[in-house]
Amino acid sequence: MNIAAIVALCIFILMFVLLITEKLPRHISSLLCAVLTIGLVFGLCMRDTGAIWETLSLRSFLTPSFWFNKGTVEPSVGINWETILFIFGMMIMVEGMAASGFFRWLCISIARAVHFKPVPIFFIFTILAAVLSMFIDSITVIMFLAAVTVEIAKLLHIDPRPLLLSEIFCANLGGSATMCGDPPNIIIGTSLGYTFFDFLSNTGLIALLALIFSVLYFYLCFRKKLKAENMPTGEIALPNAKDAITSKSSFISSCLIFLCAIILLITHAQTGLTVSTIGMIVAVLTLLCNAKNAGKLVKSIDYHTLLFFTGLFVVVSGLEKTGILTILANAIQKVSGGNVIVMIVIILFGSGIASAIIDNIPFAATMIPVIRTLSSMQGVDLQTLAWTLSMGTDIGGSATPIGASANVVGTSISAKNGYPISWKEYCKYQVPVTLLVLAISTAVIIIRYI
């Protein structure tokens, strides 16, 4: 291992330490380590300006295939601007939907349809969390769903924590089903050239099977608490869905744009539109339909997350260009003895355990070059390893309160409303179902692909 590789590895470890300890905001941590990678690894140790420009990948914006591509997609190198632009566009769309009252209207409408009965609400809200997270970031889904869940639980005089724990897990599970459902999937899809339908027909089927077992698991765990209902008398105390809509015109346009986004994502393999183009189309449509509040929508974007991604890609590029990731791939190959099944188990449970402790986004970004190397070295189908990595990182993050951003948001909303969820209580219910889904994923991948 040369000096450049050692420095790159130290910077990567430093980034993870900063992320875990939260001494600095995570976007500052990743950007700081990105600067160190460019200056120390590429500049001082390698003295390679070409590596710097390749990592920054600015010329990709001028490449026609970045915006439109119906041919073979080349794996991304350096900063994956396609991922960043797509997330930016989806953020704009979600902010527009939230401002129109779409999420609150949807939840209250469903609750009223089942007459605010706890058990039907449990099943519908849990499945709704999974379905919405297939198309919208799970953080946003939980943010609005949790708030409405707490409000409805207070009306029915039941503990909202069973509902919230179920919704959090199923939001992460639903996110694993599509390319746009969870940040690790966006990175995997754009880096390896997979489409929305590729994910839906592979990880989507695994997620659907796992969702059935997961919902049943949570119902068996919480059925007694869900029956402890005390319905309020009269309809006056119950919220009205129509009151949630802030602007009828904005509400209608938000629904149409959301539908447009889904259609574009499903058909982008046929149309040739890349996800970066789709993200920009969705963003422009949202801003045009909300012209009066366009500035407010743009300001409300979570730019910290976008900056975090940018820095992360640079740090991971440092590991790739110095050969660290090749060493990791060789280690996995050696431990597995070239056995594909053992390799799948290592990647799936290894990424699952790692994602329960650390942020699954940098881990997924780090592992993509690793599985690419393993595929070329062992002749294993790259897609098989990609679906394995996707399920491991997406599901593993559900096991602990800090494993995924949706977990942090959901537990924070619960605590803020007087229903704190301790680590012990959280892990008591989430660790078993996480292991269950990882086991289901392992079985399906081995049976279907090996």
Side-chain angles (χ1 to χ4, degrees):
M1 188 182 295
N2 57 38
I3 186 65
I6 294 174
V7 173
L9 181 60
C10 289
I11 293 173
F12 180 74
I13 294 173
L14 172 63
M15 183 183 72
F16 262 109
V17 170
L18 291 174
L19 291 174
I20 294 170
T21 58
E22 297 181 339
K23 296 294 183 182
L24 295 172
R26 69 175 189 167
H27 68 288
I28 297 297
S29 299
S30 69
L31 288 175
L32 173 63
C33 291
V35 171
L36 291 175
T37 298
I38 292 174
L40 298 180
V41 178
F42 298 147
L44 187 62
C45 298
M46 296 176 63
R47 300 181 184 278
D48 188 351
T49 55
I52 297 175
W53 287 110
E54 191 174 69
T55 298
L56 295 178
S57 193
L58 296 175
R59 66 177 64 183
S60 61
F61 290 102
L62 304 177
T63 306
S65 60
F66 182 81
W67 306 101
F68 180 85
N69 191 345
K70 293 193 71 172
T72 302
V73 179
E74 293 295 327
S76 66
V77 178
I79 298 176
N80 191 330
W81 292 111
E82 195 170 345
T83 293
I84 293 173
L85 281 186
F86 175 67
I87 293 176
F88 171 82
M90 295 301 283
M91 283 181 174
I92 291 282
M93 181 192 73
V94 168
E95 289 295 333
M97 295 174 70
S100 71
F102 173 83
F103 297 107
R104 185 174 174 80
W105 167 85
L106 180 63
C107 293
I108 295 176
S109 295
I110 292 173
R112 291 188 71 89
V114 296
H115 306 291
F116 288 85
K117 293 181 179 179
V119 173
I121 286 176
F122 162 79
F123 281 109
I124 294 177
F125 273 35
T126 301
I127 295 172
L128 180 64
V131 173
L132 285 177
S133 295
M134 292 172 62
F135 307 101
I136 303 172
D137 184 74
S138 57
I139 303 171
T140 303
V141 172
I142 289 300
M143 187 178 297
F144 293 98
L145 190 58
V148 178
T149 297
V150 171
E151 179 182 346
I152 293 175
K154 287 181 177 179
L155 287 173
L156 304 181
H157 303 286
I158 62 173
D159 188 343
R161 283 172 286 199
L163 286 166
L164 292 174
L165 287 170
S166 306
E167 290 164 2
I168 289 170
F169 184 85
C170 288
N172 290 327
L173 179 57
S176 69
T178 65
M179 193 178 96
C180 61
D182 217 29
N185 286 13
I186 299 173
I187 296 173
I188 293 170
T190 54
S191 297
L192 301 179
Y194 299 143
T195 66
F196 181 93
F197 188 75
D198 288 334
F199 276 91
L200 189 63
S201 58
N202 290 280
T203 59
L205 294 178
I206 300 174
L208 176 60
L209 178 62
L211 180 64
I212 296 171
F213 285 93
S214 300
V215 173
L216 179 61
Y217 164 84
F218 283 116
Y219 175 70
L220 293 175
C221 288
F222 300 131
R223 63 188 184 282
K224 292 182 180 179
K225 294 183 179 180
L226 294 172
K227 289 180 180 179
E229 58 182 286
N230 184 12
M231 289 289 292
T233 57
E235 290 290 320
I236 299 177
L238 302 179
N240 193 322
K242 292 182 179 179
D243 295 336
I245 300 175
T246 58
S247 169
K248 191 173 182 179
S249 59
S250 296
F251 177 82
I252 294 173
S253 63
S254 294
C255 292
L256 292 175
I257 292 170
F258 182 45
L259 180 62
C260 175
I262 294 174
I263 293 173
L264 290 175
L265 285 168
I266 292 174
T267 61
H268 80 96
Q270 289 72 40
T271 62
L273 297 177
T274 62
V275 293
S276 49
T277 301
I278 293 172
M280 290 298 96
I281 290 173
V282 168
V284 170
L285 288 176
T286 302
L287 294 175
L288 288 176
C289 292
N290 296 272
K292 293 182 179 180
N293 298 316
K296 186 177 180 181
L297 290 178
V298 173
K299 289 180 181 178
S300 61
I301 292 299
D302 184 5
Y303 291 103
H304 291 170
T305 295
L306 299 178
L307 291 173
F308 167 69
F309 272 107
T310 304
L312 167 66
F313 286 129
V314 174
V315 175
V316 171
S317 182
L319 295 179
E320 185 174 10
K321 291 186 178 300
T322 56
I324 292 294
L325 300 183
T326 302
I327 294 174
L328 178 58
N330 288 329
I332 294 176
Q333 179 191 11
K334 186 176 181 180
V335 173
S336 66
N339 187 302
V340 179
I341 294 178
V342 176
M343 194 181 299
I344 287 172
V345 172
I346 291 174
I347 294 174
L348 189 65
F349 279 87
S351 58
I353 294 171
S355 296
I357 303 170
I358 57 179
D359 197 313
N360 59 4
I361 297 172
F363 185 84
T366 305
M367 285 297 294
I368 288 170
V370 174
I371 64 172
R372 191 186 295 143
T373 302
L374 282 171
S375 176
S376 61
M377 290 169 52
Q378 292 295 310
V380 183
D381 186 3
L382 180 58
Q383 286 198 29
T384 301
L385 298 182
W387 312 143
T388 302
L389 176 62
S390 172
M391 294 307 298
T393 51
D394 291 339
I395 303 305
S398 301
T400 64
I402 61 171
S405 300
N407 311 2
V408 178
V409 171
T411 52
S412 297
I413 292 175
S414 185
K416 185 178 179 181
N417 286 275
Y419 300 95
I421 301 174
S422 66
W423 265 73
K424 182 179 179 180
E425 181 182 12
Y426 185 95
C427 294
K428 175 184 176 182
Y429 296 108
Q430 303 291 51
V431 170
V433 72
T434 298
L435 294 175
L436 172 64
V437 174
L438 289 176
I440 291 172
S441 302
T442 303
V444 173
I445 290 172
I446 291 174
I447 292 171
R448 185 177 181 185
Y449 303 106
I450 305 303

